[in-house]
Amino acid sequence: MATAAKPETAIEKGMAGPGLMAYIVTSKFAEYVPLYRLKDIFARQGFEISRATQSIWCGDVADLVEPLYELMAEKVRASHVVCTADTIMPMRTRAKLQMQGCGSTRATTSIPTTSSTSR
């Protein structure tokens, strides 16, 4: 009797599929849903994923996408103009939810220099 090879997983010996990991990372970093809330959401669905496990998975995803990040950062550093928009996200304190907003845009121009300059 022969058995099929186990399919590759994003995390070595991990149970989470790419869809679940993408959901957790997107919820945390794009939707600003804290991991304790995700834990409660999963519990209402009938399964338990601890905050510690979710945190480890977020780190594992960061390791997986690091080559993509490095490529993007290299392209940004090689460009002549870099624009950024700084936004402060809402932060929860023990006392209350503080809403903070900030919008600033910066443009940095890099002008190539030549060995001989004329004035």
Side-chain angles (χ1 to χ4, degrees):
M1 176 188 284
T3 59
K6 183 180 175 186
E8 284 191 41
T9 58
I11 302 173
E12 186 178 335
K13 298 181 182 180
M15 295 175 26
L20 177 59
M21 290 171 46
Y23 175 77
I24 291 171
V25 170
T26 302
S27 296
K28 177 166 177 48
F29 296 107
E31 305 296 332
Y32 310 121
V33 179
L35 294 179
Y36 75 90
R37 284 196 190 145
L38 281 172
K39 179 179 181 264
D40 294 342
I41 291 169
F42 293 139
R44 286 193 300 271
Q45 300 291 329
F47 58 99
E48 184 178 330
I49 302 175
S50 73
R51 289 179 2 191
T53 299
Q54 292 178 59
S55 179
I56 291 169
W57 288 349
C58 287
D60 291 340
V61 169
D63 292 340
L64 287 172
V65 299
E66 186 173 7
L68 178 61
Y69 165 79
E70 292 297 335
L71 179 64
M72 291 170 59
E74 180 182 317
K75 291 206 177 273
V76 168
R77 287 189 293 269
S79 65
H80 295 291
V81 176
V82 177
C83 295
T84 63
D86 298 330
T87 304
I88 297 173
M89 64 180 227
M91 301 296 291
R92 183 174 179 86
T93 63
R94 288 188 184 265
K96 61 182 175 180
L97 179 65
Q98 293 179 324
M99 299 302 287
Q100 298 176 338
C102 175
S104 64
T105 303
R106 289 179 285 205
T108 304
T109 305
S110 174
I111 302 172
T113 58
T114 59
S115 58
S116 62
T117 58
S118 60
R119 293 187 186 204

